[in-house]
Amino acid sequence: MLDSKLLRTQLQDVADRLATRGYQLDVARIEALEAQRKTVQTRTEQLQAERNARSKSIGQAKQRGEDIAPLLADVDRMASELDAGKQELEGIQAELDQLMLTLPNLPHESVPVGKDEDENVEVRRWGTPKSFDFPVQDHVALGEQHGWLDFETAAKLSGARFALMRGPIARLHRALAQFMIDLHTREHGYEEAYTPYLVQAPALQGTGQLPKFEEDLFKITREGEADFYLIPTAEVSLTNIVAGEILDAKQLPLKFVAHTPCFRSEAGASGRDTRGMIRQHQFDKVEMVQIVEPDQSFEALESLTANAEKVLQLLELPYRVLALCTGDMGFGATKTYDLEVWVPSQDKYREISSCSNCGDFQARRMQARYRNPETGKPELVHTLNGSGLAVGRTLVAVLENYQQADGSVRVPEVLKPYMAGIEMIG
């Protein structure tokens, strides 16, 4: 959530910066609501002061033996007007608060301005895509040849956009997740966490999925109890660990990592990537989250991104890093790097991780703060998140980049300890 003070003092600047994201801020509506709020607030404050004075005069009139009935009637009238004014003020503020929840984060000044993904800026590449001397198969063909990647049975169980993995491919999928968790905890300083897969609405509002993206979530309605939502990413549960907290500065930075399934209805993705495992309703991800002091967040973003890159480097998978432009960034991000891995069957790079600095955007929604040691006052923390990595998409990249002419797949060297020494599958 943006700082409401910015809308009151720098409204046009906020509108201009949001416009670079393709978001048109209704400036006239906000100005009208703010003017109405100020008018009602001023009138209410004046009425309260007048009522207080009139109440005081009742006691004085009573001491003088005067008839106080007219004064009492006047005070009662003011009380009714005061209650009506407060209700009106609450209604205006509720509309402003609801509007604030729909506003995306402001892009950082270092973010390239652009309309969509075509204007993202490539920052660097690592590795060289392999040249194959045989016809390349996609991950679906490689996985289905022995029945180890089964979309037909998954569809029988659950419908479209699900996969059933068996045998060596299921083991390879598990090995990838374990390898990622071990790397981030042993070498990158993250604390492993196991979190609930079901959360309530306030957690999703805190990280920005609600109210804007409710159609992309799987919701479980419970009669007489709060609704549950399946997590779209462990970012939700990990980041909300600090919701409503005032942390000691000595606790920062906090670095969490978790391996969880993720659930997305992909309501806005009809017809995209319908073949294979690129875009599914259920997928696994190893998620990294950092909670840091404000002046450390952009340095932390570089570190977080490097942590995700290290996974690809150790797997020896070619990739590139993109700085997302203003028009392609996620709702809560102020700056984002995407990692795209080389997918041979598509002859292009595909997203495998998104690493974002959200600044104080999520912290303000969650009221997550730390006590500034210099001032002694609570201040909002900054939050960051990134995939380290999306496990299913990493499996896709391994299957395709390590495929052999006979359709078998060589196991990357770094994964062999997790595969009981198996060097080839298929």
Side-chain angles (χ1 to χ4, degrees):
M1 183 185 295
L2 299 181
D3 187 346
S4 59
K5 293 178 183 177
L6 285 176
L7 269 71
R8 290 197 294 269
T9 62
Q10 302 175 43
L11 181 57
Q12 192 56 53
D13 179 59
V14 169
D16 292 343
R17 292 173 68 184
L18 290 179
T20 68
R21 299 191 57 142
Y23 185 93
Q24 298 304 312
L25 184 63
D26 191 343
V27 173
R29 181 58 182 155
I30 293 175
E31 287 178 336
L33 283 170
E34 272 297 324
Q36 187 180 0
R37 184 188 65 79
K38 288 178 182 178
T39 298
V40 175
Q41 185 170 338
T42 300
R43 187 175 73 238
T44 302
E45 289 172 351
Q46 289 173 344
L47 194 60
Q48 181 67 60
E50 188 177 346
R51 181 171 179 261
N52 291 342
R54 195 62 54 89
S55 297
K56 186 177 180 180
S57 67
I58 289 175
Q60 295 170 343
K62 194 173 184 180
Q63 287 179 345
R64 293 193 299 267
E66 298 173 0
D67 181 10
I68 62 171
L71 292 173
L72 288 172
D74 212 21
V75 168
D76 288 342
R77 176 188 58 78
M78 290 181 186
S80 297
E81 290 181 11
L82 197 58
D83 286 341
K86 288 179 177 178
Q87 288 180 16
E88 186 179 0
L89 195 60
E90 287 174 1
I92 296 168
Q93 191 60 54
E95 186 172 348
L96 282 168
D97 290 345
Q98 194 60 33
L99 188 150
M100 291 294 291
L101 286 174
T102 67
L103 303 184
N105 203 353
L106 297 177
H108 187 256
E109 59 187 13
S110 64
V111 174
V113 176
K115 297 187 297 296
D116 53 36
E117 61 185 17
D118 294 332
E119 297 186 67
N120 293 336
V121 176
E122 185 173 313
V123 177
R124 56 185 171 271
R125 293 191 181 198
W126 187 94
T128 303
K130 179 182 176 181
S131 296
F132 295 88
D133 56 7
F134 56 85
V136 170
Q137 299 187 72
D138 70 5
H139 68 282
V140 177
L142 291 165
E144 286 184 336
Q145 60 185 334
H146 297 292
W148 294 334
L149 188 55
D150 186 347
F151 296 98
E152 185 176 338
T153 301
K156 179 179 70 174
L157 296 171
S158 306
R161 295 192 186 274
F162 290 91
L164 172 65
M165 289 177 275
R166 299 169 59 181
I169 282 184
R171 185 168 191 166
L172 185 59
H173 183 267
R174 173 164 57 90
L176 282 164
Q178 289 181 305
F179 156 64
M180 294 173 194
I181 286 287
D182 285 348
L183 175 66
H184 295 316
T185 55
R186 293 173 182 175
E187 297 187 22
H188 298 155
Y190 290 82
E191 177 187 348
E192 184 175 357
Y194 174 85
T195 78
Y197 301 160
L198 294 168
V199 296
Q200 295 180 3
L204 289 153
Q205 181 174 297
T207 44
Q209 284 80 12
L210 287 179
K212 185 173 176 60
F213 301 106
E214 182 157 10
E215 67 172 8
D216 292 326
L217 301 170
F218 284 107
K219 181 179 181 179
I220 301 172
T221 301
R222 301 187 298 163
E223 187 174 349
E225 296 186 72
D227 294 336
F228 274 143
Y229 294 83
L230 288 162
I231 58 170
T233 163
E235 169 201 341
V236 176
S237 42
L238 290 174
T239 309
N240 274 279
I241 289 173
V242 299
E245 301 290 330
I246 300 178
L247 304 167
D248 190 308
K250 293 178 181 178
Q251 295 175 261
L252 302 178
L254 289 172
K255 299 170 68 174
F256 300 120
V257 65
H259 166 218
T260 70
C262 305
F263 305 90
R264 298 183 187 176
S265 71
E266 298 285 5
S270 178
R272 294 184 60 190
D273 295 311
T274 55
R275 178 176 169 82
M277 295 180 65
I278 295 294
R279 191 180 297 275
Q280 297 203 294
H281 290 316
Q282 175 186 316
F283 58 96
D284 278 34
K285 190 148 64 83
V286 171
E287 183 75 3
M288 303 175 293
V289 162
Q290 292 194 26
I291 314 294
V292 304
E293 293 185 48
D295 62 356
Q296 300 296 314
S297 64
F298 285 97
E299 181 181 339
L301 177 60
E302 301 299 325
S303 172
L304 183 86
T305 306
N307 296 157
E309 288 183 71
K310 189 66 174 179
V311 178
L312 292 169
Q313 291 168 8
L314 291 173
L315 289 169
E316 300 182 72
L317 294 171
Y319 69 89
R320 65 177 183 171
V321 180
L322 301 177
L324 297 195
C325 71
T326 52
D328 196 36
M329 284 198 307
F331 179 76
T334 187
K335 184 172 184 176
T336 297
Y337 292 117
D338 267 10
L339 274 59
E340 295 186 343
V341 69
W342 181 253
V343 179
S345 68
Q346 298 184 16
D347 196 34
K348 64 180 179 180
Y349 292 95
R350 295 300 305 267
E351 180 192 338
I352 198 167
S353 173
S354 191
C355 299
S356 297
N357 180 5
C358 296
D360 61 11
F361 186 82
Q362 292 178 328
R364 183 171 286 105
R365 297 167 80 104
M366 297 186 302
Q367 278 303 290
R369 296 169 291 172
Y370 80 107
R371 195 169 298 280
N372 187 317
E374 294 183 5
T375 65
K377 296 180 179 179
E379 295 181 14
L380 296 170
V381 296
H382 280 196
T383 63
L384 303 96
N385 64 79
S387 306
L389 303 165
V391 182
R393 291 194 179 195
T394 309
L395 177 65
V396 168
V398 167
L399 291 175
E400 295 201 11
N401 282 278
Y402 281 86
Q403 65 180 291
Q404 308 298 302
D406 62 359
S408 61
V409 176
R410 184 165 56 86
V411 174
E413 195 67 32
V414 75
L415 294 182
K416 289 179 181 177
Y418 299 89
M419 294 288 290
I422 296 174
E423 297 191 358
M424 197 79 66
I425 63 173

